[in-house]
Each structure stands twice: as C-alpha cells, then as structure tokens.
Amino acid sequence: KAHQICDLQASTPLLEVLDKVRATLKKSGRIGLLWRNELLSHRQGRTQLIELGIAEGAELAVLFVATWEFHEFRGEIGDEAPLDRLSDAESSVRFCMLDGVNCIIVRHTLTRSFNAVTGLFQGHHLWDICQGTYQIEDNGKVASCTWRQKHRKRRRVTSDDCSSRLHSTGWTQLEAVPEAWQRIMLEEWHKECEDLISGDRILGIRFTGRGSAEEALQLLALGS
C-alpha cells in the first residue's frame, strides 16, 4: 500500500519525514526508509533530503527497525541435501510474531564441503525469508502459520589455493516451506531478542553478498 507524504522541502531533515510517515501509518515504534540500498533511520535524522538525493516523486519502502523477541531453531530442518563424510552443515531459523496476526521467518543454512579429487573447497549458503500470518493453538504451544510470501536465495563459493569462484541465484520464489514451519512447536524453539533490522542482518541473520540484505528488506517491506 502506497502513501503520499506532502509539504516536504529539499531542506527538510529526515527526522521530520520519519515523523510524518509514522503519523500517516498510525503505528508506533521505530521505522526506517529504504533508499538506494541504504536503510535510513533516526541516526541520519538531521540530514536534509537534498543531501540524501531524495527529490519529489521518490518512492521509499517503509520498514520497522525496532528490537523484537523471536523464537529460534538450530538443527536439521528437513530439506537439506544429503551430506557426505567430507561435508558438514549448520542451520538457523528465526520465527518472529510482528503483532497479533503477522509473522516472518528467516533461515540461513551454511554447507561446507571438500572435493578430495579436485582439491576444491566449497561453501554453499542458503537463505529463506517468508512473510505470513499465524494463529496460536494448543494453549500457546503451537503457532499455526500460513505463508503468503516465500523467497529463497542460494550463494555458492568454490575455491582452491589460487582463486575462488562465486555463483548466486538471486531471490527466487519458493514453492513450499518445510512442514515444520506450518505448525511451529514453540516449546522446541528457544527465545532470543535482536533488532528486526540492523545493517546487513535481519533478526540477527547476516545476508552476505552485495545488495542481498537490501533486496531481502524490499521483500519484507511494509505493505508488501
């Protein structure tokens, strides 16, 4: 959903814009504005719009930037590729209830392997980000989730003693999520607390690669 903010000048400080956006959305809490792959927040509050390159007609995504409690699961998720004896993998999944209805899930899996024949090392990163709604069931023990947005990105780095090669898929539509994410057993996940968004991290999970975090933020932007 788009909102138009009026009565702004080139000399208007960012802090005033953030206040106007918050008043328009009628929501409390800290917010940020995504502009040219940078998250603008109260830290740049005194900076004028002209200094940021923001002019009439510019479109910026709105994001919450507050600290949130979430539930984390570490271990096998169920959709990992089979591993051989020279490979290992570690996964982290973080589920956050944004309010009484909406939720997001962020996942990172890192697989490391070595090919003894070619002598090549390989690191395979996999990220999932999903946005949807939830209902609490079974006396608060289960979050029953419906995911309306599901996205995945893969990034593979292959290296030897002399060079390294990088391949990235970019964000693609994920057809289905692991079964465990449809009914989250909250007692099996432990509680943590992180900034929802901080630099190149979402819920503390780092998105490596140029523009990765910014693209993920666009997918999770308010009103998307």
Side-chain angles (χ1 to χ4, degrees):
K1 185 178 180 179
H3 299 272
Q4 185 174 3
I5 307 300
C6 303
D7 300 325
L8 300 177
Q9 307 295 328
S11 59
T12 300
L14 178 64
L15 190 59
E16 183 178 332
V17 179
L18 292 171
D19 288 340
K20 287 179 177 289
V21 171
R22 191 179 297 105
T24 300
L25 295 176
K26 294 181 175 60
K27 292 186 178 182
S28 59
R30 291 167 52 199
I31 62 171
L33 301 174
L34 191 62
W35 172 246
R36 292 178 176 173
N37 289 340
E38 181 181 3
L39 181 63
L40 306 177
S41 65
H42 68 285
R43 295 177 182 176
Q44 301 105 318
R46 297 183 179 180
T47 308
Q48 298 179 358
L49 295 184
I50 191 172
E51 298 176 86
L52 297 168
I54 300 175
E56 184 178 358
E59 295 184 1
L60 295 83
V62 183
L63 302 154
F64 286 113
V65 292
T67 298
W68 293 83
E69 184 181 85
F70 60 86
H71 292 76
E72 181 181 42
F73 176 83
R74 289 181 177 271
E76 292 188 7
I77 298 171
D79 62 350
E80 297 90 346
L83 299 177
D84 58 35
R85 64 183 182 85
L86 297 178
S87 302
D88 65 77
E90 56 184 36
S91 295
S92 173
V93 187
R94 298 184 174 185
F95 168 68
C96 181
M97 294 174 277
L98 299 174
D99 52 33
V101 177
N102 298 290
C103 58
I104 62 173
I105 207 164
V106 184
R107 175 263 191 98
H108 175 233
T109 296
L110 171 60
T111 304
R112 293 172 291 258
S113 61
F114 174 69
N115 188 317
V117 177
T118 62
L120 296 177
F121 293 90
Q122 187 174 96
H124 178 205
H125 294 267
L126 184 152
W127 293 274
D128 292 336
I129 55 172
C130 305
Q131 187 181 56
T133 58
Y134 74 95
Q135 287 185 328
I136 297 297
E137 301 176 352
D138 295 347
N139 296 318
K141 297 179 181 180
V142 177
S144 178
C145 302
T146 300
W147 301 107
R148 61 175 178 268
Q149 289 196 57
K150 305 178 289 291
H151 307 277
R152 170 168 289 183
K153 182 175 183 176
R154 297 178 183 271
R155 188 170 188 259
R156 185 175 68 248
V157 180
T158 304
S159 61
D160 54 25
D161 293 337
C162 302
S163 63
S164 61
R165 294 182 295 277
L166 171 67
H167 174 72
S168 178
T169 63
W171 287 103
T172 60
Q173 189 75 25
L174 183 60
E175 293 300 322
V177 301
E179 185 176 348
W181 298 359
Q182 297 176 25
R183 285 182 58 82
I184 295 177
M185 306 300 174
L186 297 175
E187 292 183 334
E188 299 176 8
W189 299 46
H190 65 272
K191 289 185 178 180
E192 295 286 349
C193 190
E194 287 274 4
D195 285 348
L196 180 59
I197 301 162
S198 179
D200 60 356
R201 299 173 185 268
I202 300 177
L203 290 179
I205 289 182
R206 183 170 180 240
F207 290 76
T208 58
R210 184 178 180 181
S212 295
E214 290 80 8
E215 292 168 0
L217 291 176
Q218 288 279 19
L219 295 173
L220 294 179
L222 225 61
S224 58

mmCIF file of all heavy atoms in Angstrom, residues 62-86:
data_model
loop_
_atom_site.group_PDB
_atom_site.id
_atom_site.type_symbol
_atom_site.label_atom_id
_atom_site.label_comp_id
_atom_site.label_asym_id
_atom_site.label_seq_id
_atom_site.Cartn_x
_atom_site.Cartn_y
_atom_site.Cartn_z
ATOM 1 N N VAL A 62 8.945 1.417 3.530
ATOM 2 C CA VAL A 62 8.916 1.658 4.971
ATOM 3 C C VAL A 62 9.137 0.342 5.707
ATOM 4 O O VAL A 62 8.535 -0.678 5.374
ATOM 5 C CB VAL A 62 7.560 2.254 5.402
ATOM 6 C CG1 VAL A 62 7.564 2.570 6.889
ATOM 7 C CG2 VAL A 62 7.241 3.493 4.583
ATOM 8 N N LEU A 63 10.019 0.376 6.718
ATOM 9 C CA LEU A 63 10.363 -0.832 7.453
ATOM 10 C C LEU A 63 10.368 -0.553 8.947
ATOM 11 O O LEU A 63 10.750 0.537 9.375
ATOM 12 C CB LEU A 63 11.760 -1.328 7.048
ATOM 13 C CG LEU A 63 11.942 -1.635 5.559
ATOM 14 C CD1 LEU A 63 13.383 -1.483 5.164
ATOM 15 C CD2 LEU A 63 11.467 -3.037 5.256
ATOM 16 N N PHE A 64 9.952 -1.536 9.745
ATOM 17 C CA PHE A 64 10.123 -1.446 11.191
ATOM 18 C C PHE A 64 11.578 -1.738 11.535
ATOM 19 O O PHE A 64 12.191 -2.642 10.971
ATOM 20 C CB PHE A 64 9.226 -2.464 11.909
ATOM 21 C CG PHE A 64 7.777 -2.092 11.904
ATOM 22 C CD1 PHE A 64 6.853 -2.852 11.199
ATOM 23 C CD2 PHE A 64 7.338 -0.988 12.608
ATOM 24 C CE1 PHE A 64 5.514 -2.521 11.207
ATOM 25 C CE2 PHE A 64 5.994 -0.648 12.618
ATOM 26 C CZ PHE A 64 5.083 -1.411 11.910
ATOM 27 N N VAL A 65 12.153 -0.987 12.475
ATOM 28 C CA VAL A 65 13.550 -1.205 12.842
ATOM 29 C C VAL A 65 13.693 -1.374 14.357
ATOM 30 O O VAL A 65 14.716 -1.079 14.940
ATOM 31 C CB VAL A 65 14.445 -0.043 12.355
ATOM 32 C CG1 VAL A 65 14.533 -0.038 10.854
ATOM 33 C CG2 VAL A 65 13.918 1.303 12.856
ATOM 34 N N ALA A 66 12.677 -1.837 15.003
ATOM 35 C CA ALA A 66 12.720 -1.998 16.458
ATOM 36 C C ALA A 66 13.329 -3.342 16.842
ATOM 37 O O ALA A 66 13.526 -4.225 16.014
ATOM 38 C CB ALA A 66 11.310 -1.883 17.028
ATOM 39 N N THR A 67 13.632 -3.503 18.127
ATOM 40 C CA THR A 67 14.111 -4.771 18.660
ATOM 41 C C THR A 67 12.918 -5.678 18.925
ATOM 42 O O THR A 67 11.916 -5.247 19.485
ATOM 43 C CB THR A 67 14.899 -4.545 19.959
ATOM 44 O OG1 THR A 67 16.032 -3.728 19.662
ATOM 45 C CG2 THR A 67 15.373 -5.861 20.541
ATOM 46 N N TRP A 68 13.041 -6.954 18.549
ATOM 47 C CA TRP A 68 11.915 -7.871 18.648
ATOM 48 C C TRP A 68 12.337 -9.162 19.321
ATOM 49 O O TRP A 68 13.476 -9.613 19.187
ATOM 50 C CB TRP A 68 11.366 -8.190 17.257
ATOM 51 C CG TRP A 68 10.743 -7.024 16.577
ATOM 52 C CD1 TRP A 68 11.385 -6.053 15.873
ATOM 53 C CD2 TRP A 68 9.359 -6.693 16.542
ATOM 54 N NE1 TRP A 68 10.483 -5.141 15.393
ATOM 55 C CE2 TRP A 68 9.230 -5.505 15.789
ATOM 56 C CE3 TRP A 68 8.209 -7.284 17.068
ATOM 57 C CZ2 TRP A 68 8.004 -4.901 15.555
ATOM 58 C CZ3 TRP A 68 6.989 -6.684 16.828
ATOM 59 C CH2 TRP A 68 6.895 -5.511 16.078
ATOM 60 N N GLU A 69 11.394 -9.769 19.980
ATOM 61 C CA GLU A 69 11.602 -11.119 20.505
ATOM 62 C C GLU A 69 11.235 -12.110 19.415
ATOM 63 O O GLU A 69 10.276 -11.924 18.674
ATOM 64 C CB GLU A 69 10.721 -11.332 21.732
ATOM 65 C CG GLU A 69 10.937 -12.680 22.414
ATOM 66 C CD GLU A 69 10.029 -12.862 23.615
ATOM 67 O OE1 GLU A 69 8.883 -13.300 23.421
ATOM 68 O OE2 GLU A 69 10.473 -12.550 24.745
ATOM 69 N N PHE A 70 12.018 -13.184 19.312
ATOM 70 C CA PHE A 70 11.720 -14.198 18.304
ATOM 71 C C PHE A 70 12.047 -15.574 18.874
ATOM 72 O O PHE A 70 12.671 -15.713 19.934
ATOM 73 C CB PHE A 70 12.514 -13.945 17.012
ATOM 74 C CG PHE A 70 14.012 -13.971 17.194
ATOM 75 C CD1 PHE A 70 14.715 -15.155 17.139
ATOM 76 C CD2 PHE A 70 14.709 -12.794 17.412
ATOM 77 C CE1 PHE A 70 16.092 -15.185 17.304
ATOM 78 C CE2 PHE A 70 16.077 -12.802 17.580
ATOM 79 C CZ PHE A 70 16.781 -14.005 17.529
ATOM 80 N N HIS A 71 11.625 -16.610 18.160
ATOM 81 C CA HIS A 71 11.923 -17.987 18.518
ATOM 82 C C HIS A 71 12.922 -18.542 17.503
ATOM 83 O O HIS A 71 12.750 -18.365 16.293
ATOM 84 C CB HIS A 71 10.658 -18.849 18.513
ATOM 85 C CG HIS A 71 9.692 -18.508 19.608
ATOM 86 N ND1 HIS A 71 8.886 -17.389 19.561
ATOM 87 C CD2 HIS A 71 9.404 -19.142 20.784
ATOM 88 C CE1 HIS A 71 8.135 -17.355 20.655
ATOM 89 N NE2 HIS A 71 8.430 -18.392 21.401
ATOM 90 N N GLU A 72 13.946 -19.211 18.000
ATOM 91 C CA GLU A 72 14.995 -19.740 17.121
ATOM 92 C C GLU A 72 15.080 -21.256 17.225
ATOM 93 O O GLU A 72 14.951 -21.838 18.304
ATOM 94 C CB GLU A 72 16.350 -19.137 17.471
ATOM 95 C CG GLU A 72 17.471 -19.645 16.559
ATOM 96 C CD GLU A 72 18.829 -19.069 16.905
ATOM 97 O OE1 GLU A 72 19.133 -18.970 18.116
ATOM 98 O OE2 GLU A 72 19.583 -18.728 15.988
ATOM 99 N N PHE A 73 15.328 -21.867 16.059
ATOM 100 C CA PHE A 73 15.570 -23.304 15.991
ATOM 101 C C PHE A 73 16.908 -23.539 15.297
ATOM 102 O O PHE A 73 17.185 -22.968 14.248
ATOM 103 C CB PHE A 73 14.454 -24.013 15.207
ATOM 104 C CG PHE A 73 14.692 -25.490 15.024
ATOM 105 C CD1 PHE A 73 14.346 -26.387 16.019
ATOM 106 C CD2 PHE A 73 15.268 -25.971 13.860
ATOM 107 C CE1 PHE A 73 14.573 -27.747 15.859
ATOM 108 C CE2 PHE A 73 15.496 -27.327 13.696
ATOM 109 C CZ PHE A 73 15.144 -28.220 14.697
ATOM 110 N N ARG A 74 17.741 -24.384 15.908
ATOM 111 C CA ARG A 74 19.013 -24.781 15.301
ATOM 112 C C ARG A 74 19.038 -26.295 15.157
ATOM 113 O O ARG A 74 18.694 -27.015 16.088
ATOM 114 C CB ARG A 74 20.204 -24.318 16.152
ATOM 115 C CG ARG A 74 20.434 -22.813 16.114
ATOM 116 C CD ARG A 74 21.642 -22.423 16.946
ATOM 117 N NE ARG A 74 21.926 -21.000 16.858
ATOM 118 C CZ ARG A 74 22.699 -20.432 15.951
ATOM 119 N NH1 ARG A 74 23.283 -21.198 15.031
ATOM 120 N NH2 ARG A 74 22.903 -19.136 15.942
ATOM 121 N N GLY A 75 19.448 -26.735 13.976
ATOM 122 C CA GLY A 75 19.486 -28.174 13.731
ATOM 123 C C GLY A 75 18.968 -28.484 12.343
ATOM 124 O O GLY A 75 18.808 -27.593 11.498
ATOM 125 N N GLU A 76 18.701 -29.753 12.091
ATOM 126 C CA GLU A 76 18.221 -30.170 10.773
ATOM 127 C C GLU A 76 16.796 -29.683 10.549
ATOM 128 O O GLU A 76 15.934 -29.831 11.408
ATOM 129 C CB GLU A 76 18.281 -31.690 10.645
ATOM 130 C CG GLU A 76 19.700 -32.242 10.606
ATOM 131 C CD GLU A 76 19.721 -33.725 10.292
ATOM 132 O OE1 GLU A 76 18.640 -34.280 9.977
ATOM 133 O OE2 GLU A 76 20.807 -34.322 10.361
ATOM 134 N N ILE A 77 16.572 -29.096 9.380
ATOM 135 C CA ILE A 77 15.262 -28.544 9.041
ATOM 136 C C ILE A 77 14.424 -29.561 8.283
ATOM 137 O O ILE A 77 13.199 -29.590 8.405
ATOM 138 C CB ILE A 77 15.438 -27.248 8.226
ATOM 139 C CG1 ILE A 77 16.175 -26.218 9.086
ATOM 140 C CG2 ILE A 77 14.099 -26.712 7.744
ATOM 141 C CD1 ILE A 77 16.600 -24.989 8.329
ATOM 142 N N GLY A 78 15.081 -30.393 7.483
ATOM 143 C CA GLY A 78 14.353 -31.433 6.757
ATOM 144 C C GLY A 78 14.426 -31.306 5.258
ATOM 145 O O GLY A 78 14.027 -32.236 4.542
ATOM 146 N N ASP A 79 14.942 -30.176 4.757
ATOM 147 C CA ASP A 79 15.031 -30.013 3.304
ATOM 148 C C ASP A 79 16.478 -29.882 2.838
ATOM 149 O O ASP A 79 16.731 -29.506 1.693
ATOM 150 C CB ASP A 79 14.222 -28.800 2.841
ATOM 151 C CG ASP A 79 14.747 -27.497 3.440
ATOM 152 O OD1 ASP A 79 15.607 -27.546 4.346
ATOM 153 O OD2 ASP A 79 14.284 -26.423 2.993
ATOM 154 N N GLU A 80 17.438 -30.191 3.719
ATOM 155 C CA GLU A 80 18.844 -30.107 3.333
ATOM 156 C C GLU A 80 19.225 -31.245 2.385
ATOM 157 O O GLU A 80 18.649 -32.342 2.421
ATOM 158 C CB GLU A 80 19.752 -30.162 4.568
ATOM 159 C CG GLU A 80 19.572 -29.013 5.550
ATOM 160 C CD GLU A 80 18.537 -29.307 6.609
ATOM 161 O OE1 GLU A 80 17.774 -30.275 6.447
ATOM 162 O OE2 GLU A 80 18.495 -28.555 7.596
ATOM 163 N N ALA A 81 20.226 -30.983 1.546
ATOM 164 C CA ALA A 81 20.743 -32.021 0.658
ATOM 165 C C ALA A 81 21.546 -33.032 1.473
ATOM 166 O O ALA A 81 22.131 -32.690 2.500
ATOM 167 C CB ALA A 81 21.627 -31.389 -0.421
ATOM 168 N N PRO A 82 21.585 -34.295 1.040
ATOM 169 C CA PRO A 82 22.369 -35.306 1.757
ATOM 170 C C PRO A 82 23.847 -34.904 1.814
ATOM 171 O O PRO A 82 24.388 -34.342 0.861
ATOM 172 C CB PRO A 82 22.165 -36.570 0.914
ATOM 173 C CG PRO A 82 20.905 -36.330 0.138
ATOM 174 C CD PRO A 82 20.874 -34.858 -0.123
ATOM 175 N N LEU A 83 24.507 -35.204 2.933
ATOM 176 C CA LEU A 83 25.911 -34.848 3.114
ATOM 177 C C LEU A 83 26.791 -36.089 3.031
ATOM 178 O O LEU A 83 26.401 -37.178 3.452
ATOM 179 C CB LEU A 83 26.113 -34.183 4.479
ATOM 180 C CG LEU A 83 25.343 -32.881 4.732
ATOM 181 C CD1 LEU A 83 25.597 -32.408 6.164
ATOM 182 C CD2 LEU A 83 25.744 -31.805 3.738
ATOM 183 N N ASP A 84 28.014 -35.908 2.479
ATOM 184 C CA ASP A 84 28.980 -36.995 2.507
ATOM 185 C C ASP A 84 29.908 -36.793 3.704
ATOM 186 O O ASP A 84 29.760 -35.849 4.480
ATOM 187 C CB ASP A 84 29.771 -37.073 1.192
ATOM 188 C CG ASP A 84 30.507 -35.773 0.869
ATOM 189 O OD1 ASP A 84 30.973 -35.099 1.819
ATOM 190 O OD2 ASP A 84 30.625 -35.434 -0.317
ATOM 191 N N ARG A 85 30.874 -37.661 3.856
ATOM 192 C CA ARG A 85 31.723 -37.630 5.050
ATOM 193 C C ARG A 85 32.666 -36.432 5.079
ATOM 194 O O ARG A 85 33.239 -36.126 6.132
ATOM 195 C CB ARG A 85 32.523 -38.928 5.151
ATOM 196 C CG ARG A 85 33.512 -39.157 4.006
ATOM 197 C CD ARG A 85 34.203 -40.499 4.145
ATOM 198 N NE ARG A 85 35.188 -40.717 3.086
ATOM 199 C CZ ARG A 85 36.433 -40.283 3.136
ATOM 200 N NH1 ARG A 85 36.847 -39.626 4.207
ATOM 201 N NH2 ARG A 85 37.266 -40.512 2.143
ATOM 202 N N LEU A 86 32.829 -35.738 3.933
ATOM 203 C CA LEU A 86 33.703 -34.568 3.885
ATOM 204 C C LEU A 86 32.913 -33.260 3.916
ATOM 205 O O LEU A 86 33.440 -32.207 3.589
ATOM 206 C CB LEU A 86 34.577 -34.619 2.619
ATOM 207 C CG LEU A 86 35.553 -35.789 2.526
ATOM 208 C CD1 LEU A 86 36.306 -35.750 1.205
ATOM 209 C CD2 LEU A 86 36.530 -35.782 3.701
#
